[in-house]
Amino acid sequence: SAAERDTSHATRSAETAAGDGQVRELSGAFGRYRIIRQLGQGGMGAVYLAHDTELDRQVALKVPHFSRQDDPQVLQRFLREARAAATIQHPNLCPIYDVGEIGGVHYMTMAYIEGHLVSEYIRPGKRQPERQTAGLIRKLALALQEAHTHGIVHRDLSPTNVCITRRGEPVI
């Protein structure tokens, strides 16, 4: 079946190490998503630019690093927070589109935000304009407040997890 082909291909393309949960790299087809390129990788997982072939749009596809040794509650928390985040609508929070598992690889898709990471603007010894910085922090604080009212705590907030859109708006 097509689902079996997708699952088999996803498992091969993810090159998941036996039981360690470390996804080395996705490529090609991953279920309904076509992987374009890796956007970044960190301690929590990897993020890819992908094309959603069903809805014909670009998405950011996040593959968290889970292992068989992780507490089952880690996966349950991931799924619970993804579901909760999918209900939030805020201009400074990246919308969640999908969450699931393909070939044993868990994933989440969200809007692909074109722009630059806050980390790209930070330079040692270079001060940022105070008014602009205060405005950025205010918008991020309001976005986090909205997430907190829905029971969501961002566990990895950093300059590499905030994007400034082409219009100059921050998005977590």
Side-chain angles (χ1 to χ4, degrees):
S1 77
E4 289 169 340
R5 279 193 312 273
D6 284 346
T7 299
S8 172
H9 183 74
T11 303
R12 283 193 314 274
S13 70
E15 299 178 29
T16 305
D20 71 1
Q22 297 299 311
V23 175
R24 292 188 187 100
E25 188 171 343
L26 289 180
S27 63
F30 182 72
R32 71 190 242 190
Y33 304 102
R34 183 176 45 81
I35 305 301
I36 298 169
R37 64 182 162 89
Q38 188 177 71
L39 296 171
Q41 185 163 343
M44 301 298 289
V47 180
Y48 298 87
L49 174 60
H51 181 80
D52 181 337
T53 60
E54 287 189 26
L55 296 176
D56 193 27
R57 65 179 172 186
Q58 288 188 332
V59 297
L61 185 139
K62 181 175 185 174
V63 180
H65 294 312
F66 293 134
S67 73
R68 292 184 185 143
Q69 292 78 26
D70 284 335
D71 185 331
Q73 292 178 346
V74 172
L75 173 60
Q76 292 306 313
R77 183 178 68 206
F78 170 76
L79 295 173
R80 182 176 57 251
E81 290 181 357
R83 288 181 190 114
T87 66
I88 300 173
Q89 292 184 1
H90 189 280
N92 303 109
L93 292 173
C94 186
I96 304 296
Y97 294 152
D98 190 18
V99 67
E101 176 187 352
I102 298 173
V105 179
H106 296 276
Y107 70 93
M108 174 191 311
T109 59
M110 56 198 93
Y112 171 63
I113 308 295
E114 290 191 60
H116 296 282
L117 299 176
V118 168
S119 60
E120 296 173 29
Y121 292 99
I122 299 172
R123 303 275 186 260
K126 181 183 177 197
R127 291 180 52 119
Q128 299 296 321
E130 290 176 13
R131 183 176 294 274
Q132 182 180 0
T133 301
L136 171 79
I137 291 170
R138 179 180 186 279
K139 289 177 181 182
L140 295 176
L142 290 171
L144 289 172
Q145 179 183 14
E146 181 68 17
H148 292 175
T149 62
H150 286 84
I152 298 169
V153 176
H154 195 297
R155 297 184 193 319
D156 192 26
L157 187 61
S158 71
T160 59
N161 287 331
V162 178
C163 187
I164 305 297
T165 68
R166 290 181 175 181
R167 292 183 175 187
E169 291 296 316
V171 178
I172 299 172

